[in-house]
Amino acid sequence: MNSINAYGLCGAAGFLMGIGYLFFITRIKSEDFSDFVYVYVWAAIGAVIGAKILYILLEVPWILRNAGSGGANLRQYLRIMISSGFVFYGGLFGAVFAVKTASRYFSLDFVKTLSLLTPAMPLAHAFGRVGCAVVGCCYGRQTRMCIGISYADSVYAPNGVRLVPVQAMEAFADLVIFGVLVWVLLKKADAHKSPGIFERYLVMYACVRFLLEFLRGDSVRGHLWLFSTSQWISMAILFLLGIHKVFIRRQLGRE
């Protein structure tokens, strides 16, 4: 099985697990399963498109620098970029935009729909990160730790070098986030009618991603000063959510 097939298989497994979660939660919350599956499919398509667009945008400087080389390395890199290059935050933004569009199309409440769909995001993402671990993309820094992993024939990661298993670490964190979000949904009867579920997800994932980025070793990522693109996006998310909370509290205080 080649790397692209392995990654795709893990992605498909994550997609199916998300459907399984929706079947469970819609029964608990007495919602129409079919409505949410339709939106979920839209969200998956939006995630793939958004993740690919952001990846290509981040690679534009590299493409411009090497466009004139015409070498085999450039052609090979472009094939990899088109076939398997994705950036998660682009996928997240694409998924939310798709949920917004689909909710309007199917005449569904956007907040409730997004809230119930939110736990499927870290669940599917966890399987995607397992796919990354299998093929070697998004690999970690070189390490001497016993938990390090090494690859023998990876197209992406350096072979024969022990690396921090950052993909597996993120997959585990995603599963923990998934469990927390489902627990909140089950604990509070009206939790799915509030944007709080999605906000919790953003806060937890942004913190996890910011920290794990320090353990990443792959160079095919955007950087600005001391931080990677994903770290800047994580900080922006936390900052904007903080401003939003302050604004809401002030509004409530005035009332």
Side-chain angles (χ1 to χ4, degrees):
M1 180 182 295
N2 61 43
S3 61
I4 295 176
N5 288 339
Y7 186 87
L9 182 62
C10 290
F15 177 80
L16 293 176
M17 289 297 293
I19 292 179
Y21 153 75
L22 286 176
F23 181 83
F24 165 77
I25 202 66
T26 52
R27 291 297 182 273
I28 296 294
K29 296 297 182 180
S30 300
E31 299 290 344
D32 189 342
F33 171 67
S34 60
D35 284 344
F36 286 88
V37 167
Y38 292 143
V39 179
Y40 179 66
V41 172
W42 281 47
I45 296 173
V48 171
I49 295 174
K52 175 60 68 175
I53 289 175
L54 184 55
Y55 179 79
I56 292 175
L57 289 176
L58 292 177
E59 294 304 303
V60 166
W62 189 94
I63 295 172
L64 293 177
R65 287 196 304 268
N66 295 274
S69 65
N73 291 336
L74 175 60
R75 290 193 295 271
Q76 181 183 7
Y77 183 80
L78 290 176
R79 283 197 299 270
I80 294 173
M81 184 180 71
I82 293 172
S83 63
S84 58
F86 299 97
V87 174
F88 172 75
Y89 272 127
L92 176 62
F93 301 147
V96 173
F97 177 78
V99 171
K100 179 71 173 179
T101 303
S103 297
R104 182 177 302 174
Y105 181 81
F106 293 111
S107 300
L108 300 173
D109 180 81
F110 169 65
V111 171
K112 182 172 70 173
T113 303
L114 180 62
S115 295
L116 285 180
L117 285 175
T118 292
M121 297 179 185
L123 178 61
H125 190 207
F127 281 84
R129 283 308 187 202
V130 171
C132 291
V134 171
V135 304
C137 64
C138 309
Y139 56 88
R141 293 180 177 273
Q142 187 172 350
T143 182
R144 295 181 179 178
M145 295 189 299
C146 60
I147 62 171
I149 58 175
S150 60
Y151 296 92
D153 189 27
S154 174
V155 178
Y156 311 95
N159 294 302
V161 178
R162 189 175 293 274
L163 305 170
V164 176
V166 66
Q167 311 102 315
M169 295 166 68
E170 187 169 345
F172 176 77
D174 277 326
L175 290 177
V176 172
I177 293 173
F178 166 74
V180 171
L181 295 177
V182 172
W183 178 76
V184 173
L185 280 173
L186 296 178
K187 181 181 179 183
K188 299 182 180 180
D190 60 345
H192 63 297
K193 299 178 181 178
S194 164
I197 295 296
F198 186 64
E199 290 179 354
R200 283 181 172 89
Y201 169 53
L202 288 179
V203 169
M204 288 188 289
Y205 182 75
C207 291
V208 168
R209 185 60 181 267
F210 181 84
L211 295 175
L212 288 182
E213 283 289 299
F214 288 114
L215 301 178
R216 290 275 291 268
D218 53 324
S219 59
V220 189
R221 292 181 297 144
H223 280 81
L224 179 62
W225 299 319
L226 298 177
F227 303 112
S228 70
T229 301
S230 292
Q231 286 177 313
W232 283 110
I233 295 176
S234 296
M235 288 188 287
I237 287 173
L238 294 174
F239 175 76
L240 292 175
L241 285 176
I243 294 296
H244 176 70
K245 285 293 185 182
V246 171
F247 177 77
I248 293 298
R249 287 175 181 174
R250 287 182 177 179
Q251 288 294 105
L252 293 176
R254 291 173 183 174
E255 295 176 359

